[in-house]
Amino acid sequence: MQYYLPKINYAYNALEPFIDAETMFIHHTKHHQAYIDNTNRILKEEKIYSNISIEKLLKSLHKIKSNNTVLLQNNAGGHFNHSFFWKLLKIGTTVSGNLKQQIKKNFQSIDNFKLEFEKKSMQHFGSGWIFLVFKKGKLSINSYKNQDNPLMSSSITGFSGYPILCLDLWEHAYYLKYRNRKLDYIQSFWNILNWEEAMIQFEKFYYSDKL
Ligand code: MN
């Protein structure tokens, strides 16, 4: 199995001034590429020849017998997280429909959801990700260390579910522009979050996971 770097369907400078072109370029072509290269190398070395999507690999990670499970977890997780994240970035979208309704139901209001997302992002210590997760008809905000994500078994991460949207909390995602101003980076996310993509993700699971 070989994984490949997905193309981003917008220019590296498309998210300026909120995320600068240099950060996007390095993040995509260096960081994301490295996670893919490492994943491919581990699968080859461990002779794991499963021809499956990265999502399926992550869901079955806890069953894979490997001498490099943590390394595989970090790198395969990195590949999925970044692939998912690039699709979730676009300037000037708004939330509507079922996702808006369910965010209001679970967090009282969109503004309150944003505040809680910012708070939990700030509380996360060290490298990791913050996700909006859908599980058993409920939305929740959860942070994950390193390159963990909600697709991985809860025996690995403590909480699994369907990822709806996410933000990269690693310093490499913002340091060139924001330096130590992590909150400014997190709050800038509301200008570039692609709600259209988040709504597509949510619709995929809303009816099947509602009960
Ligand atoms: Mn990253």
Side-chain angles (χ1 to χ4, degrees):
M1 184 73 201
Q2 282 271 309
Y3 295 106
Y4 297 97
L5 187 68
K7 285 208 166 58
I8 297 183
N9 69 357
Y10 46 83
Y12 289 127
N13 64 3
L15 304 168
E16 290 199 354
F18 309 107
I19 298 185
D20 59 288
E22 190 182 12
T23 297
M24 282 301 295
F25 175 74
I26 297 171
H27 204 172
H28 182 236
T29 64
K30 307 295 180 196
H31 291 275
H32 189 175
Q33 183 69 61
Y35 295 122
I36 294 168
D37 293 345
N38 288 332
T39 301
N40 288 336
R41 183 177 48 75
I42 298 159
L43 293 178
K44 197 176 167 198
E45 280 172 11
E46 298 287 319
K47 295 189 170 54
I48 302 169
Y49 296 117
S50 51
N51 191 25
I52 54 172
S53 67
I54 193 69
E55 290 87 351
K56 281 191 177 157
L57 179 75
L58 294 175
K59 281 179 188 168
S60 56
L61 204 61
H62 58 295
K63 296 178 202 156
I64 293 175
K65 290 195 180 5
S66 162
N67 296 322
N68 283 310
T69 314
V70 174
L71 210 57
L72 186 60
Q73 177 184 336
N74 289 340
N75 286 285
H79 177 30
F80 170 80
N81 288 347
H82 289 88
S83 304
F84 194 63
F85 184 50
W86 308 137
K87 291 194 290 180
L88 282 161
L89 301 177
K90 188 182 180 183
I91 288 181
T93 66
T94 50
V95 64
S96 60
N98 286 329
L99 182 55
K100 186 178 185 181
Q101 191 193 4
Q102 290 301 309
I103 288 176
K104 280 181 167 177
K105 192 179 159 194
N106 287 270
F107 302 98
Q108 285 82 53
S109 67
I110 301 295
D111 283 346
N112 199 49
F113 158 73
K114 288 179 178 176
L115 281 175
E116 210 160 302
F117 189 93
E118 290 167 12
K119 198 173 129 196
K120 286 202 173 169
S121 299
M122 288 303 288
Q123 283 168 347
H124 183 87
F125 188 80
S127 297
W129 290 76
I130 184 117
F131 277 84
L132 177 64
V133 182
F134 189 53
K135 184 176 194 172
K136 294 195 169 80
K138 275 197 74 176
L139 285 168
S140 60
I141 300 165
N142 299 280
S143 69
Y144 294 82
K145 68 178 170 59
N146 303 325
Q147 295 292 349
D148 290 356
N149 62 51
L151 292 177
M152 296 171 185
S153 163
S154 52
S155 64
I156 297 176
T157 64
F159 194 84
S160 66
Y162 300 115
I164 306 301
L165 62 88
C166 66
L167 177 64
D168 192 339
L169 298 178
W170 284 59
E171 285 186 344
H172 70 223
Y174 65 87
Y175 206 81
L176 288 182
K177 181 179 170 70
Y178 293 92
R179 307 291 155 154
N180 63 321
R181 291 176 289 113
K182 185 179 171 185
L183 182 61
D184 288 352
Y185 161 68
I186 294 161
Q187 290 178 331
S188 78
F189 183 49
W190 308 123
N191 297 298
I192 51 167
L193 166 58
N194 184 356
W195 282 109
E196 292 160 5
E197 180 63 26
M199 289 189 280
I200 290 171
Q201 295 303 323
F202 187 65
E203 291 299 320
K204 272 179 15 189
F205 309 115
Y206 180 54
Y207 293 102
S208 59
D209 193 56
K210 217 171 149 184
L211 298 172

